[in-house]
Amino acid sequence: MSVTQSSPRGASSPQAPAEAGLHARVLDELGTVICNGDPPAGSVLSIEDLVDRYQVSRSVIREVLRVLASMGLVETRRRVGIMIQPAEAWKVFDPQVIRWRLASGERMAQMRSITELRTAIEPYAAWLAAERVHDDEASDLVGLAAKMWAAGKAGDEARFLDLDIDFHRRVLVASGNEMFSELQLIVAEVLAGRHHYHLMPHYPDEEALQLHTDVAHAIQRRDGERARRAMVRIMEQGFAEMKSMWERTAEPGGE
């Protein structure tokens, strides 16, 4: 898991860059620990214990806890302390929370919930895009699908990931719905997670490549229903592929 490159707000002292790096490290490590359920919900955190564990200042720990509280992972209660909150309280749309959950033993449950969300939203976004997309945007989408095909056939995983994220981002944006467009960060996290945790084959399935091409051409032809159906198949095929690869790894949590 890469260290989150966030920084404390308002930091202006000469030590700010170093403190920002400590904050990012501790936030990433503690966020991952909480999302992994160890310690479990209801546990009380001590600032002094966290200072000793991470070897950082109290100010860094306080800022980390403030950020975690804003995400719903912890809550400060009078006469109790800093309590870890149950998953139901978490800001599950926060990209960092998604990243931490993907790093936990509940990885496939997180993949499943996001895929279900995407299946509800992205096909309709493709349907709307067929009505609302500009001609040059539609042409760019077709060209992007062709580049995905080339990168997939070449086994260029890094290039394919970048193109895949861009493809789904463009469909969401082309829908003309600003709330759909905001989901692009979530989609980017789950696609990056698939690659990071080896839930994507080195050479993408040819059906997946064809389906992206089908979506792009359907949008270009203003055929919303065909675009919607092809996007549904992308979601179904992608999750089936992840589930199969997860089961072959025999990791805990594979269902």
Side-chain angles (χ1 to χ4, degrees), residues 7-249:
S7 60
R9 295 176 185 172
S12 58
S13 67
Q15 289 75 34
E19 186 163 302
L22 291 173
H23 168 268
R25 174 180 65 81
V26 176
L27 177 64
D28 195 56
E29 291 181 14
L30 187 53
T32 301
V33 163
I34 292 173
C35 287
N36 199 41
D38 183 22
S43 300
V44 176
L45 301 176
S46 161
I47 289 178
E48 288 72 21
D49 288 346
L50 294 174
V51 166
D52 290 341
R53 183 189 308 175
Y54 294 107
Q55 294 297 294
V56 294
S57 67
R58 290 172 64 88
S59 64
V60 168
I61 293 299
R62 287 196 187 98
E63 176 63 14
V64 166
L65 292 172
R66 185 192 67 78
V67 174
L68 292 174
S70 74
M71 298 175 178
L73 271 65
V74 301
E75 180 180 83
T76 301
R77 298 185 182 180
R78 288 188 65 182
R79 293 191 288 274
V80 175
I82 301 145
M83 183 174 289
I84 296 176
Q85 295 296 95
E88 292 78 13
W90 301 349
K91 300 286 181 64
V92 294
F93 283 91
D94 189 296
Q96 277 189 301
V97 174
I98 290 170
R99 197 175 312 141
W100 295 333
R101 292 180 76 185
L102 289 174
S104 78
E106 296 298 313
R107 184 174 306 146
M108 280 305 292
Q110 174 70 114
M111 287 287 191
R112 180 182 294 107
S113 65
I114 295 179
T115 301
E116 289 170 351
L117 173 69
R118 293 181 66 196
T119 302
I121 299 299
E122 289 196 61
Y124 190 57
W127 186 84
L128 287 174
E131 288 192 346
R132 299 173 176 175
V133 72
H134 297 299
D135 289 342
D136 56 343
E137 292 174 331
S139 296
D140 289 344
L141 196 61
V142 171
L144 192 58
K147 292 175 183 176
M148 286 180 66
W149 190 290
K153 288 296 187 181
D156 188 341
E157 294 182 74
R159 172 70 170 158
F160 183 83
L161 173 60
D162 289 342
L163 294 168
D164 198 14
I165 289 173
D166 195 24
F167 183 92
H168 290 276
R169 179 190 66 80
R170 286 175 185 249
V171 172
L172 289 166
V173 171
S175 73
N177 183 301
E178 73 281 2
M179 298 188 80
F180 286 3
S181 182
E182 280 297 301
L183 294 176
Q184 62 183 279
L185 295 177
I186 292 175
V187 172
E189 284 295 339
V190 75
L191 291 175
R194 282 195 66 185
H195 284 258
H196 184 81
Y197 295 107
H198 309 293
L199 297 172
M200 172 70 79
H202 181 66
Y203 291 95
D205 186 88
E206 188 162 313
E207 180 185 6
L209 296 173
Q210 183 60 55
L211 286 168
H212 283 79
T213 299
D214 292 346
V215 169
H217 281 293
I219 289 174
Q220 186 181 48
R221 293 167 185 160
R222 311 291 173 169
D223 189 340
E225 181 55 27
R226 187 177 292 273
R228 185 194 68 80
R229 290 199 306 266
M231 188 65 85
V232 168
R233 284 293 302 128
I234 288 174
M235 300 298 111
E236 293 174 343
Q237 192 267 354
F239 188 75
E241 189 174 66
M242 281 190 292
K243 188 171 186 292
S244 175
M245 296 183 74
W246 176 264
E247 288 171 345
R248 287 202 299 272
T249 66

